[in-house]
């Protein structure tokens, strides 16, 4: 299914949330790429830009933006990002692009998080999309065994290395009926850097395009 038009519509709708003198946090992924392509429309309102990945930084720079470090700008006013799944309480699964650690950091640091998705991302319960868990390479098999003991089926994302040099296990069959509990439980496994559940850093606003 090609949802490019819907992704672009959601991205364009989010431009309304950019206010004057905005410090903007920018997520990662194909929906956000449409945001970056259209960001020129509100450039006059943007004070500075913070990125969540090497790929988004490169795209932002190509579009003429100077990308600053989160530590330098402090608190972004707004964070805009996509998602792989969104439930009715705005809990998310993210990390299809493997950038969820930095995404969660910028989301957490920001005053407001607006999520942009097409309606194929809406779910009643999280978990059909394999949940990305980022691990330091040495811990991969330990983490995989712990996840199996929790009822999950971990699949190693072969050949993929994150911006920070870590690996990803994509987890199927896990019961995510309590997203907050699962987010905490997974992050307590030694060697897990972060997992793709956004239950503690979820968006106030989800813009859905059909
Ligand atoms: C990257 C992400 C993306 O937001 C998520 O994968 C959605 O991507 P897309 O907009 O390409 O469907 O979490 O780590």
């Amino acid at each position: 299914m090609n949802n490019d038009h819907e992704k672009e519509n959601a991205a364009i709708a989010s431009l309304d949330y950019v206010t004057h003198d905005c410090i903007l946090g920018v997520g990662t992924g194909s929906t956000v790429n449409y945001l970056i392509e259209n960001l020129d429309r509100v450039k006059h309102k943007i004070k500075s830009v913070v990125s969540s990945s090497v790929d988004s930084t490169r795209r932002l720079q190509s579009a003429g933006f100077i990308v600053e470090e989160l530590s330098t700008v402090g608190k972004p006013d707004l964070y805009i990002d996509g998602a792989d799944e969104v439930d009715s309480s705005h809990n998310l699964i993210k990390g299809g692009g493997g950038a969820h650690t930095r995404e969660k950091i910028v989301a957490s640091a920001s005053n407001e998080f607006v999520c942009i998705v097409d309606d194929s991302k809406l779910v009643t319960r999280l978990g059909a999309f394999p949940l990305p868990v980022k691990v330091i390479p040495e811990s991969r098999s330990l983490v995989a065994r712990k996840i199996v003991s929790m009822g999950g089926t971990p699949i190693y994302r072969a050949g993929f290395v994150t911006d920070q040099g870590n690996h990803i296990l994509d987890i199927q069959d896990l019961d995510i009926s309590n997203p907050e509990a699962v987010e905490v439980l997974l992050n307590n496994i030694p060697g897990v850097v972060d997992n793709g559940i956004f239950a503690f850093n979820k968006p106030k606003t989800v813009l859905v395009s059909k």
Side-chain angles (χ1 to χ4, degrees), residues 7 28-32 81-84 94-100 103 121:
K7 289 180 180 194
T28 301
S30 56
T31 313
V32 164
D81 199 358
D84 299 299
K94 291 183 47 56
H100 53 280
E103 291 171 344
K121 306 291 184 67

Side-chain angles (χ1 to χ4, degrees), residues 23-24 26 39 46-51 60 65-68:
I23 302 176
L24 178 65
V26 175
L39 210 48
I46 297 175
K47 189 162 129 194
S48 52
V49 172
V50 175
S51 169
L60 284 160
F65 290 89
I66 294 167
V67 179
E68 302 203 52

Side-chain angles (χ1 to χ4, degrees), residues 44-56:
H44 59 287
K45 293 184 180 174
I46 297 175
K47 189 162 129 194
S48 52
V49 172
V50 175
S51 169
S52 62
S53 65
V54 170
D55 185 57
S56 288

Side-chain angles (χ1 to χ4, degrees), residues 46-204:
I46 297 175
K47 189 162 129 194
S48 52
V49 172
V50 175
S51 169
S52 62
S53 65
V54 170
D55 185 57
S56 288
T57 298
R58 190 181 50 75
R59 288 172 189 271
L60 284 160
Q61 287 170 336
S62 299
F65 290 89
I66 294 167
V67 179
E68 302 203 52
E69 293 296 324
L70 179 63
S71 310
T72 311
V73 301
K75 207 170 173 49
D77 299 292
L78 173 65
Y79 179 60
I80 304 176
D81 199 358
D84 299 299
E85 281 188 350
V86 184
D87 74 12
S88 57
S89 303
H90 293 185
N91 296 299
L92 311 178
I93 286 185
K94 291 183 47 56
H100 53 280
T101 305
R102 253 175 95 184
E103 291 171 344
K104 202 178 279 186
I105 292 167
V106 185
S108 163
S110 299
N111 283 330
E112 187 177 0
F113 177 6
V114 171
C115 184
I116 49 176
V117 290
D118 63 84
D119 65 353
S120 71
K121 306 291 184 67
L122 301 182
V123 297
T124 47
R125 180 185 283 199
L126 299 180
F129 188 91
L131 172 64
V133 176
K134 185 188 283 192
V135 299
I136 65 163
E138 294 79 1
S139 71
R140 199 175 81 217
S141 53
L142 165 72
V143 175
R145 285 197 298 277
K146 299 262 187 198
I147 285 169
V148 169
S149 75
M150 291 169 64
T153 307
I155 313 283
Y156 170 48
R157 204 183 288 183
F160 184 86
V161 179
T162 72
D163 289 351
Q164 292 78 29
N166 296 307
H167 292 174
I168 301 271
L169 295 169
D170 291 302
I171 314 303
Q172 294 174 334
D173 307 323
L174 199 60
D175 177 356
I176 316 182
S177 46
N178 184 340
E180 286 192 1
V182 179
E183 183 175 358
V184 170
L185 211 57
L186 288 171
N187 282 356
N188 266 338
I189 302 173
V192 169
V193 179
D194 205 349
N195 70 85
I197 298 177
F198 281 53
F200 292 95
N201 297 283
K202 58 190 184 185
K204 189 171 110 191

